Amino acid sequence: MSFLKKEIKQLLINRQHKSYEKRVSAQNLTYNEWIEKKEKNVKIDNYKLEEKGNFLTNDLETVVNDGINDENERNNSKNVVFCEPFYSLDLSDSNGTTITIISIYEGELSDIALNLIYRQFLTDKNTILVYGDEDTRENGVRKNPWFKPDWSPDRFLSCLYFGGIVAVRKDALQDAYRICSQKGILKNTSYEKAEKLYWLLFELLKMYKAFEKGHDKTQMPVCHIPQVLFHSKKNGYEQIKDYKLPEAALQEAAEASEQLISIIIPSKDNVDVLFHCLDSLLERTVSKYQYEIVLVDNGSKEENQNKIRNKLDEINAKSVNTTTKLQKIQYFYQEMEFNFSRMCNLGAKASEGAIFLFLNDDMEIISSNWLDLLAGKASLSYVGAVGAKLLYPESDKIQHAGITNLRVGPAHKLQFLRDEEVHYFGMNRGVHNMLAVTGACLMVKREVFFEAGGFCEELAVAFNDVDLCYTIYEKGYYNIVRNDVILYHHESLSRGKDGESEKKQLRLLKEKDVLYERHQDIYGKDPFYHPYLTTDMLESEYSPCYRYQVTLNMPWSFVEKGDDTVKSAREDQCLVVGMECAMDIYKWQYGVSPEKGKVKVKPEDMGYYFQGYSFIIGSDNACYKKKLLLKNQDNGQIWLIPVEDRYRQDIKNNLKDQVNVDLTGFAAKMQKNAVPAGVYQFGMLALDACSRQKLVNWSNWVLQIEA
């Protein structure tokens, strides 16, 4: 009898495996399949263009000033192949406009490239330079997509990120060439050929005011076409990563001696950590800038106040006898409830510097030139907030490398990943423009800070730094993270982590609502994060969205009471439940509640969207069916919600020792009035389809459902 049971169970398992493999195959698209489907939807016009010449040359002057009209030297425009630097293709139209396309490494134009490039120049007379995305193609198979940001002036100064090809108006290119010739750049024998092109493009962009405040695309001389325009023979980033312009190439700042930096540190009853921060700052900083330190204390007990005052007296006494650029330390004490924004604003008003540096008391300085590097960028006229790369203490694990504006909220991409590895075409190397940086280390000019209105005091705990950066960006400035400035962040030693309790979670959600009510127009948008990268989930990697795609085109879930079903299940910590999103569908799409939104509510918006991941440790996950649980915090009533599987490459990569974890993701939709109003805790019920086993476990995530 037991043998028969085993046979039956094995048949059931085999059936589940076949079904599972079929579902995995349907969702696990390759990049090649996905991008070809995407490109079929790209609108292509039929322009009549004259190819004035295709030529291969190692001489930049030939690229800029000449052309070869020999018909035998022309390639088919649908398959223009570029070899070694420099290859140029000149196109002209009936109006006499000539566009030069230049490649600096081997590859070929995509089928849609010429059409999209020319359309951009034709439809926008302000466009001077165009670049796009690229991938590699081998034996007809495309892979390794490099999806780039929109115009990023500071990334350009740090790295020739335009990559394989750039398209430039020929007359503008010739003007820039003359400037470079006058400066002797092109005759400098220390520069490689690609470096000379780099300088040429820099002078061109400077000439057309690309390094100025303002994000109006109708006035922008640089255009990023967010489509693959080039197929390189090998990784493009590896070929250009070592090219960078010198730090002083765009120097606008006043003399260092004229700039006072005010380092503003909020702190309360955290003396050991604070003193470690101060000691590391004073002992390791070597700077040409004079600076002051402003400590803002919102209510330390008397014992700690005395310790702080004694410490400051000690520092002031030492600074008299040293060559430090520290001018003074102010101690600003005011009892009040914790409000990070108010503390920073009070510190700013009490400060005298032309540049502010907001610094958490749990930061540790580990290099000497960090202050100069931050200030060198912050001093530029078009620059807003400048941040650093933060690592977890005594490790190379990344805590912060800029903030990305995803639809699920502001995200710290690369968090917890190893910094010794290079991630997504150098996103943890060099200097990058980002929509926001963390307030744990944020430098900004005094006038920019007050122009933005300072920190929003309605955001007492979370998202205040993000809000400030979004406002600065909306004022036309560019925010920056410097990956070449590294600090240790002893994160959350002061106030704990968000989301540890129901109260903190609800506070966090409320502050997130305030953030997007203040910035509706950029909800779910980020000019420095490509729309072909995943925008709908919190993952550390920069992942092309073919790996995981969110769609709301799913049926409404049939919600039912589930008290008895759940009571008979065994609560088991091996059932992992990770919630990533639980919110009103209208808010998911537009960032705000319907009564505050600009878009009219549609029937399909009237509900809630849930997203996350779940798996059973040590079990064959192909054999389980899952249902999301909602438990009313007041009366304990439990509701069951069927979920749809989602392919999750990121989870699978982290669970190499687990079985069948491809479809660990889940999603569900629930209509507005499916459950009564109240605060609900999330959980998961897992039903083994090959036995009677039922497992249940609970997440610490909660959701407040309105009446």
Side-chain angles (χ1 to χ4, degrees):
M1 192 69 176
S2 61
F3 174 77
L4 183 58
K5 285 183 178 179
K6 288 181 180 178
E7 285 288 306
I8 293 172
K9 184 170 183 177
Q10 190 58 52
L11 287 172
L12 293 172
I13 291 172
N14 292 342
R15 182 185 299 172
Q16 290 300 314
H17 282 179
K18 286 181 181 179
S19 171
Y20 189 80
E21 288 165 7
K22 187 176 180 180
R23 287 182 285 136
V24 169
S25 178
Q27 293 193 43
N28 184 16
L29 291 176
T30 66
Y31 166 69
N32 191 75
E33 295 168 327
W34 176 83
I35 193 65
E36 288 186 355
K37 289 180 181 178
K38 281 284 185 183
E39 290 178 350
K40 285 180 181 177
N41 297 322
V42 176
K43 186 177 182 295
I44 299 295
D45 301 302
N46 292 315
Y47 296 116
K48 292 184 178 180
L49 300 175
E50 177 188 352
E51 292 180 32
K52 295 179 65 177
N54 302 335
F55 50 91
L56 170 64
T57 175
N58 285 322
D59 179 18
L60 190 55
E61 183 175 2
T62 306
V63 170
V64 176
N65 297 317
D66 295 320
I68 296 175
N69 294 309
D70 186 345
E71 188 72 28
N72 294 327
E73 295 200 28
R74 298 185 187 179
N75 292 312
N76 185 329
S77 63
K78 292 292 184 183
N79 189 31
V80 180
V81 178
F82 295 105
C83 301
E84 296 179 1
F86 296 95
Y87 187 99
S88 171
L89 170 69
D90 278 4
L91 301 174
S92 67
D93 61 17
S94 57
N95 297 318
T97 301
T98 302
I99 301 161
T100 299
I101 301 175
I102 308 170
S103 172
I104 61 168
Y105 48 78
E106 192 174 2
E108 58 185 306
L109 289 177
S110 70
D111 292 343
I112 61 175
L114 291 182
N115 191 287
L116 295 180
I117 289 169
Y118 184 71
R119 183 168 69 194
Q120 177 60 34
F121 284 107
L122 179 68
T123 56
D124 189 346
K125 299 302 182 184
N126 290 309
T127 298
I128 302 300
L129 181 148
V130 167
Y131 68 98
D133 308 315
E134 59 189 83
D135 56 22
T136 59
R137 181 156 63 183
E138 186 176 346
N139 299 323
V141 177
R142 294 166 62 178
K143 53 188 178 181
N144 302 323
W146 183 6
F147 296 133
K148 302 171 188 175
D150 287 348
W151 169 233
S152 302
D154 299 280
R155 186 169 186 182
F156 174 82
L157 295 170
S158 166
C159 171
L160 186 52
Y161 80 95
F162 291 163
I165 60 163
V166 289
V168 189
R169 290 191 189 273
K170 183 107 179 183
D171 54 354
L173 191 65
Q174 291 170 334
D175 289 341
Y177 184 86
R178 282 190 284 273
I179 292 173
C180 285
S181 296
Q182 292 167 3
K183 293 184 175 183
I185 293 171
L186 303 178
K187 291 184 179 180
N188 190 326
T189 56
S190 67
Y191 291 143
E192 296 181 13
K193 299 179 182 70
E195 286 180 288
K196 291 180 179 180
L197 175 63
Y198 196 175
W199 276 103
L200 178 64
L201 296 177
F202 170 64
E203 292 295 339
L204 181 147
L205 293 170
K206 208 166 47 159
M207 181 170 58
Y208 283 92
K209 305 184 186 307
F211 299 96
E212 292 191 1
K213 177 184 170 186
H215 305 300
D216 185 352
K217 289 192 176 182
T218 63
Q219 304 297 320
M220 187 70 67
V222 186
C223 174
H224 166 231
I225 295 177
Q227 299 291 341
V228 174
L229 305 184
F230 190 68
H231 309 304
S232 60
K233 287 293 183 183
K234 57 183 180 179
N235 186 308
Y237 171 74
E238 290 297 322
Q239 299 179 73
I240 52 85
K241 67 179 182 179
D242 295 327
Y243 299 130
K244 60 183 289 186
L245 296 176
E247 190 73 21
L250 201 68
Q251 191 59 258
E252 306 171 0
E255 289 298 316
S257 59
E258 299 173 10
Q259 301 275 342
L260 175 68
I261 297 174
S262 296
I263 302 175
I264 300 163
I265 306 177
S267 187
K268 175 190 172 183
D269 285 328
N270 206 25
V271 290
D272 291 339
V273 172
L274 171 64
F275 292 172
H276 182 70
C277 172
L278 290 173
D279 288 343
S280 70
L281 192 160
L282 295 168
E283 292 169 6
R284 297 170 186 168
T285 301
V286 177
S287 178
K288 62 186 178 183
Y289 293 87
Q290 296 181 334
Y291 62 92
E292 65 171 350
I293 297 174
V294 180
L295 296 180
V296 182
D297 188 332
N298 67 316
S300 290
K301 55 190 178 184
E302 186 175 354
E303 177 188 354
N304 287 331
Q305 288 181 58
N306 292 332
K307 287 181 179 178
I308 292 170
R309 289 191 172 94
N310 290 337
K311 178 71 173 181
L312 301 191
D313 289 342
E314 177 187 326
I315 292 171
N316 283 323
K318 283 184 179 178
S319 66
V320 172
N321 302 313
T322 64
T323 57
T324 178
K325 291 297 183 81
L326 173 66
Q327 300 301 295
K328 62 179 177 179
I329 297 183
Q330 299 186 61
Y331 182 41
F332 189 88
Y333 181 87
Q334 181 176 323
E335 286 190 37
M336 58 180 174
E337 286 188 18
F338 178 82
N339 186 314
F340 180 85
S341 296
R342 188 172 303 146
M343 293 171 74
C344 288
N345 289 341
L346 287 171
K349 290 174 183 175
S351 299
E352 298 177 5
I355 299 173
F356 295 153
L357 173 65
F358 298 96
L359 193 69
N360 275 19
D361 63 359
D362 54 2
M363 301 301 301
E364 179 183 351
I365 310 306
I366 58 176
S367 62
S368 61
N369 64 344
W370 69 286
L371 198 62
D372 286 14
L373 288 174
L374 294 177
K377 282 295 184 184
S379 300
L380 299 177
S381 59
Y382 68 89
V383 171
V386 183
K389 177 165 62 181
L390 309 183
L391 302 181
Y392 288 102
E394 306 301 329
S395 77
D396 77 329
K397 283 191 177 180
I398 298 169
Q399 188 269 332
H400 171 82
I403 294 172
T404 299
N405 188 35
L406 303 184
R407 192 155 58 173
V408 289
H412 287 234
K413 284 288 182 180
L414 306 182
Q415 189 173 20
F416 306 120
L417 300 184
R418 300 288 299 275
D419 191 44
E420 68 177 13
E421 300 175 21
V422 178
H423 300 285
Y424 201 71
F425 303 96
M427 287 304 298
N428 59 323
R429 298 288 184 267
V431 180
H432 295 264
N433 293 105
M434 304 288 286
L435 204 53
V437 298
T438 177
C441 177
L442 186 155
M443 183 176 280
V444 62
K445 290 187 290 292
R446 181 188 195 95
E447 65 266 25
V448 174
F449 178 78
F450 286 118
E451 182 185 347
F455 285 98
C456 173
E457 296 187 10
E458 189 178 356
L459 298 169
V461 181
F463 303 124
N464 33 54
D465 48 359
V466 180
D467 172 80
L468 175 65
C469 289
Y470 286 4
T471 302
I472 288 171
Y473 171 80
E474 289 166 339
K475 296 286 183 182
Y477 297 97
Y478 287 86
N479 299 321
I480 297 169
V481 63
R482 292 205 69 140
N483 289 304
D484 54 352
V485 176
I486 302 173
L487 286 76
Y488 284 144
H489 186 196
H490 299 262
E491 185 186 28
S492 298
L493 289 173
S494 330
R495 61 179 178 86
K497 293 181 179 295
D498 292 321
E500 288 179 339
S501 67
E502 178 182 318
K503 182 180 178 181
K504 285 185 177 181
Q505 285 186 61
L506 294 176
R507 184 262 303 160
L508 189 67
L509 292 172
K510 182 181 178 182
E511 292 188 325
K512 182 178 167 185
D513 287 346
V514 172
L515 173 70
Y516 286 118
E517 285 165 11
R518 289 169 54 85
H519 304 283
Q520 287 191 46
D521 291 340
I522 61 172
Y523 172 71
K525 301 172 186 175
D526 190 328
F528 310 111
Y529 188 80
H530 199 288
Y532 280 178
L533 294 172
T534 303
T535 60
D536 303 318
M537 54 183 274
L538 293 173
E539 61 164 352
S540 293
E541 293 282 5
Y542 283 77
S543 174
C545 60
Y546 72 89
R547 293 181 179 171
Y548 181 75
Q549 300 177 71
V550 167
T551 175
L552 294 177
N553 297 326
M554 65 178 77
W556 294 107
S557 299
F558 177 72
V559 182
E560 59 181 331
K561 289 185 178 180
D563 298 45
D564 293 338
T565 306
V566 174
K567 284 178 182 177
S568 62
R570 184 179 84 240
E571 189 162 335
D572 195 325
Q573 297 299 314
C574 288
L575 173 56
V576 175
V577 190
M579 293 298 299
E580 294 173 322
C581 177
M583 60 194 297
D584 180 289
I585 289 175
Y586 184 94
K587 191 180 291 185
W588 164 257
Q589 297 194 98
Y590 307 113
V592 295
S593 57
E595 60 272 15
K596 295 183 179 180
K598 299 177 181 179
V599 180
K600 187 177 179 180
V601 181
K602 301 182 290 292
E604 55 267 31
D605 298 330
M606 301 298 292
Y608 291 87
Y609 174 70
F610 307 121
Q611 175 186 307
Y613 58 89
S614 180
F615 54 90
I616 300 96
I617 299 171
S619 295
D620 184 347
N621 284 264
C623 295
Y624 286 86
K625 303 289 185 183
K626 300 188 185 77
K627 291 189 178 183
L628 189 64
L629 304 178
L630 284 179
K631 181 165 67 175
N632 190 296
Q633 295 293 76
D634 291 329
N635 58 27
Q637 175 67 62
I638 295 173
W639 301 84
L640 298 176
I641 306 173
V643 296
E644 291 188 4
D645 293 333
R646 291 288 184 267
Y647 180 80
R648 290 295 293 266
Q649 180 72 44
D650 59 319
I651 305 294
K652 180 183 177 182
N653 289 345
N654 291 328
L655 299 174
K656 299 185 187 302
D657 59 340
Q658 300 298 312
V659 180
N660 289 323
V661 285
D662 308 69
L663 300 180
T664 50
F666 67 81
K669 268 172 44 175
M670 182 180 78
Q671 288 181 307
K672 194 79 173 179
N673 299 317
V675 300
V679 175
Y680 287 84
Q681 181 185 9
F682 286 95
M684 186 65 70
L685 176 69
L687 306 169
D688 189 342
C690 303
S691 73
R692 296 180 179 179
Q693 185 185 61
K694 291 189 289 187
L695 305 177
V696 68
N697 200 12
W698 298 95
S699 163
N700 64 352
W701 263 59
V702 295
L703 171 69
Q704 185 160 9
I705 292 180
E706 306 292 343

